[in-house]
Amino acid sequence: MRSYDDLIEEAASVDVSGWDFSWLDGRATEERPEWGYSRLLAAALAEVDTALDLQTGGGEVIDAAAQLPPHTTVTEGWPPNVEAARKRLQPRGVRVVALDEDASLPFADATFDLVTARHPIASHWSETARVLRPGGRYLAQHVGPASAFELIEWFLGPLSDDIRDGRHPRHDREGATTAGLVVDEIRTARLRMEFFDIGAVVYILRKCVWWVPDFSVERYADRLRTLDAVIRQDGAFVAHSSRLLVRAHRP
């Protein structure tokens, strides 16, 4: 394995915009849920005329669909991702709206046949219900409870029960129902993650900035060096992601 300093220097300088994780090929792995969200998304998009993808990142996931609705809109809040999404999706006729994830949706009531989201930072159920047409559907893959907490707690220490419970599927069920949606399905999956070098850890923490909000190589130098030694000894650091498949509709 390359030296600690070499791995850290590379991972601290590489571009982390967008939601393309190909830089991690051969350096980290994560199991995928058996339901195949990209396949479900492509099938749903092919059946409607109007669709909204929330917190789209760089647009990579929706761009993988062979057929997009005639009227497709995406939102994204992080400026580098907004630019990446525009470059990727505007040639396909997609409207890209720069919008903070906490803001109200700037769309009229009952605008969309389909609203989708993959790993949204937050779910604003009342706004989702408002912009869906009667009979419109919500399809999403959410992050579930205590996802990647083995890695997160390596840096932050033990987290409270309230934080560990924060993405429990019952919260999605309650939020959707309170907003007037009918929950058709919530499925859960617990998936193995492996990090094969310390550079992969630095990369993921720079990309998923909400995992360790105050992360920097300098701030966590001691924990990084200790983790590097663990990976070199054991061959990998193992964590587990948590995913939810959420389907709902507006009656």
Side-chain angles (χ1 to χ4, degrees):
M1 188 184 295
R2 292 152 55 195
S3 72
Y4 172 86
D5 290 337
D6 188 20
L7 292 168
I8 290 290
E9 181 179 356
E10 178 190 27
S13 60
V14 69
D15 180 25
V16 294
S17 62
W19 288 117
D20 177 4
F21 289 81
S22 60
W23 190 86
L24 291 174
D25 290 350
R27 308 180 71 159
T29 62
E30 181 182 356
E31 291 180 309
R32 294 289 179 250
E34 62 180 3
W35 53 72
Y37 178 73
S38 293
R39 175 180 53 80
L40 296 176
L41 175 63
L45 290 168
E47 295 175 348
V48 299
D49 291 327
T50 58
L52 171 65
D53 191 54
L54 300 172
Q55 301 174 44
T56 198
E60 297 88 351
V61 177
I62 196 168
D63 189 43
Q67 179 181 342
L68 296 178
H71 305 285
T72 303
T73 302
V74 303
T75 69
E76 174 55 34
W78 193 39
N81 280 351
V82 172
E83 183 61 26
R86 284 175 174 154
K87 289 180 179 179
R88 179 173 284 108
L89 297 176
Q90 283 183 342
R92 298 189 66 181
V94 175
R95 180 188 177 194
V96 179
V97 177
L99 185 72
D100 186 84
E101 59 265 14
D102 293 326
S104 298
L105 298 176
F107 312 115
D109 295 358
T111 297
F112 299 101
D113 301 311
L114 176 70
V115 175
T116 62
R118 181 181 180 274
H119 303 177
I121 295 173
S123 298
H124 302 291
W125 288 110
S126 60
E127 284 292 279
T128 297
R130 181 182 65 79
V131 300
L132 275 173
R133 292 173 175 169
R137 293 175 291 154
Y138 180 73
L139 169 67
Q141 181 171 288
H142 291 183
V143 176
S147 187
F149 269 33
E150 297 95 335
L151 181 61
I152 293 169
E153 291 185 326
W154 178 273
F155 294 94
L156 298 182
L159 299 175
S160 70
D161 290 342
D162 287 345
I163 293 176
R164 299 183 71 87
D165 182 67
R167 290 182 177 270
H168 192 283
R170 72 173 179 277
H171 300 309
D172 284 318
R173 186 176 296 277
E174 292 169 357
T177 301
T178 299
L181 299 177
V182 175
V183 176
D184 301 304
E185 178 183 29
I186 298 182
R187 295 174 63 184
T188 64
R190 190 76 173 164
L191 307 160
R192 183 181 177 91
M193 308 170 72
E194 294 182 302
F195 298 88
F196 301 119
D197 69 61
I198 198 64
V201 172
V202 170
Y203 178 87
I204 201 70
L205 293 179
R206 291 184 59 227
K207 200 173 188 75
C208 300
V209 295
W210 54 93
W211 286 14
V212 182
D214 64 345
F215 177 77
S216 71
V217 168
E218 296 76 19
R219 186 186 306 274
Y220 287 100
D222 290 343
R223 297 303 288 161
L224 286 168
R225 284 194 176 274
T226 304
L227 184 54
D228 177 65
V230 170
I231 293 173
R232 290 175 189 272
Q233 175 180 300
D234 297 343
F237 181 83
V238 177
H240 295 84
S241 63
S242 180
R243 300 288 181 258
L244 310 175
L245 176 67
V246 184
R247 301 180 194 251
H249 71 274
R250 177 178 173 182

